[in-house]
Amino acid sequence: MSGRAAENGEVTVAVGDDLVAEVEIHRPPNNFFDQDLIAALAVAIEDLDERDDCRAVVLCSEGKHFCAGANLNASRPATGTPQRHLYDEAVRLFETRTPVVAAIQGAAVGGGLGLALMPDFRVACAEARFAANFARLGFIQGFGLTVTLPRLIGPQRAMEMLYTGRRVKGEEAFRIGLCDEFVAREEVRTRARALAREIAASAPLAVRSIRQTLRGQLASEIRAATDHEKAEQDRLRQTADFAEGVRAMTQRRQPRFTGA
């Protein structure tokens, strides 16, 4: 297996002789993301789209959790000048053409859930946790979850997850379709790779055509959704409830929201 590290050293790519590549995030234990990390993931998979020796990708991460969400302490670009947004990089991920299987060994929370729903398939375990905890922060969902979550588990279950922010454990996630396979934690990456290898064994032109046909205009839908999500996030970020939500999370207590 040959490896190539991304420029920031926090995303690595290794392509095996079985036509499967592993794209791994290295920000353990929580693997919080920022714009640079999502851009690095997009670059990695875009590069793999152009390689003849890669027909499927395993998206995985080092450490206890798959991705516990966005780094809330990351600096934001100055206003008043044109800037790419984090979600512009997220849309790039949805525009990639190679099938992706996610190996979910721990928490996929908030924006981390959004990242987990970008791949075609998810392999998870009992230790996995899925949560759209935005409302518990006085916030609105992002990363295109407006589209991907109801598409995967249906609008009613999606609303319940988004309204309450509750955590869905691995076994329940498998039962409701939030993940596709449920295995022991030590087998998560192995099984994700096995599924990716099965995909890679099929005719590559046919698989890409099937994928494009089934996913349709998903990337365009994600772009429209994230345009709305980021506008609402900017609005809600100015509220007292958002400040309280962040404080409560930092202090590990129940938030006291006032609707202001």
Side-chain angles (χ1 to χ4, degrees), residues 2 38 52 90 97 101-102 118 154 180 227 239 242 247:
S2 62
I38 300 303
D52 294 333
R97 305 189 305 276
V101 181
M118 181 280 296
D180 302 283
D227 284 347
T239 65
F242 176 71
R247 276 195 305 271

Side-chain angles (χ1 to χ4, degrees), residues 99-195:
V100 181
V101 181
I104 313 293
Q105 81 280 22
V109 176
L113 176 62
L115 178 61
L117 299 197
M118 181 280 296
D120 304 72
F121 303 98
R122 280 146 295 281
V123 177
C125 58
E127 293 79 3
R129 298 289 185 272
F130 301 84
N133 62 338
F134 303 89
R136 301 297 291 176
L137 291 170
F139 217 35
I140 185 178
Q141 69 275 7
F143 219 102
L145 280 165
T146 301
V147 174
T148 55
L149 191 59
R151 180 181 175 125
L152 195 62
I153 64 173
Q156 287 301 116
R157 284 199 173 106
M159 282 192 294
E160 191 263 346
M161 283 188 68
L162 289 166
Y163 288 3
T164 66
R166 75 176 183 88
R167 293 196 169 202
V168 174
K169 297 180 180 180
E171 188 172 1
E172 181 185 359
F174 177 62
R175 188 172 69 250
I176 68 175
L178 201 51
C179 66
D180 302 283
E181 297 199 22
F182 182 72
V183 298
R185 190 180 194 277
E186 62 271 17
E187 297 174 4
V188 167
R189 195 176 300 199
T190 300
R191 182 54 200 153
R193 189 173 189 91
L195 177 55

Side-chain angles (χ1 to χ4, degrees), residues 25 27 29-34 37-38 41 59-71 103-116 129-131 143:
I25 301 168
R27 284 187 179 178
N30 295 315
N31 294 298
F32 292 119
F33 68 74
D34 53 22
L37 183 70
I38 300 303
L41 287 173
L59 177 61
C60 52
S61 54
E62 177 188 3
K64 182 177 181 180
H65 298 301
F66 174 74
C67 179
N71 178 6
I104 313 293
Q105 81 280 22
V109 176
L113 176 62
L115 178 61
R129 298 289 185 272
F130 301 84
F143 219 102

